């Protein structure tokens, strides 16, 4: 359910979102959820594709898996966070290891989540972050 603040901005269609995951099922799930919030969603299935997208386009939110088929999602986080202004970044991992959360935050991630992702909790996190994005662009 969208709040009045998000409705006021016509959803958050002005804030494009990049989803980066090599699992097509997860990408589809992220896209569906984000579109319910009114987001324009772009997806990449690899590190290379994500970096190419970030070099051409400005995004306001990035959701990226740590383990990509062609490298680390942390590279995507670092590049995204080097953009001006930097987007909000959520990093997701299917196999958390000691120190991985610390490395994600050091790279610039805003949030660190372990799979499997609970949809209700993830929706709450997204709504809060999207509200902050909208508030920051008024």
């Amino acid at each position: 359910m969208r709040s009045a603040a998000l409705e006021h901005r016509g959803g958050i269609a002005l804030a494009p979102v990049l989803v980066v995951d090599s699992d097509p099922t997860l990408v589809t799930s992220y896209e569906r959820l984000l579109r319910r919030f009114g987001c324009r969603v772009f997806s990449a299935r690899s590190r290379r594709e994500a970096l190419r997208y970030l070099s051409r386009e400005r995004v306001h939110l990035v959701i990226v898996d740590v383990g990509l088929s062609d490298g680390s999602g942390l590279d995507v986080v670092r590049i995204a966070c080097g953009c001006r202004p930097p987007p909000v970044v959520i990093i997701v991992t299917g196999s958390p290891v000691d120190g991985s959360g610390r490395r994600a935050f050091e790279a610039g991630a805003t949030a660190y989540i372990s799979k499997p992702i609970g949809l209700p909790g993830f929706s709450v996190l997204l709504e809060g972050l999207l509200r902050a994005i909208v508030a920051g662009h008024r």
Side-chain angles (χ1 to χ4, degrees), residues 45-77:
R45 303 274 168 96
S46 67
R47 174 188 166 278
R48 173 181 279 173
E49 191 177 348
L51 296 180
R52 188 173 36 234
Y53 185 84
L54 288 169
S55 72
R56 310 188 305 261
E57 302 290 335
R58 181 168 178 258
V59 295
H60 294 245
L61 174 65
V62 177
I63 301 171
V64 59
D65 190 3
V66 172
L68 299 171
S69 59
D70 62 345
S72 174
L74 290 175
D75 294 338
V76 176
V77 175

Side-chain angles (χ1 to χ4, degrees), residues 41-127:
V41 184
F42 303 94
S43 60
R45 303 274 168 96
S46 67
R47 174 188 166 278
R48 173 181 279 173
E49 191 177 348
L51 296 180
R52 188 173 36 234
Y53 185 84
L54 288 169
S55 72
R56 310 188 305 261
E57 302 290 335
R58 181 168 178 258
V59 295
H60 294 245
L61 174 65
V62 177
I63 301 171
V64 59
D65 190 3
V66 172
L68 299 171
S69 59
D70 62 345
S72 174
L74 290 175
D75 294 338
V76 176
V77 175
R78 286 183 198 92
I79 297 296
C81 291
C83 296
R84 294 293 168 235
V88 171
V89 178
I90 300 171
I91 194 152
V92 182
T93 184
S95 51
V97 295
D98 288 341
S100 63
R102 179 184 48 76
R103 285 190 298 278
F105 290 117
E106 286 173 352
T110 305
Y112 176 84
I113 300 171
S114 295
K115 294 178 186 177
I117 299 170
L119 187 59
F122 191 60
S123 294
V124 169
L125 172 66
L126 278 176
E127 183 170 8

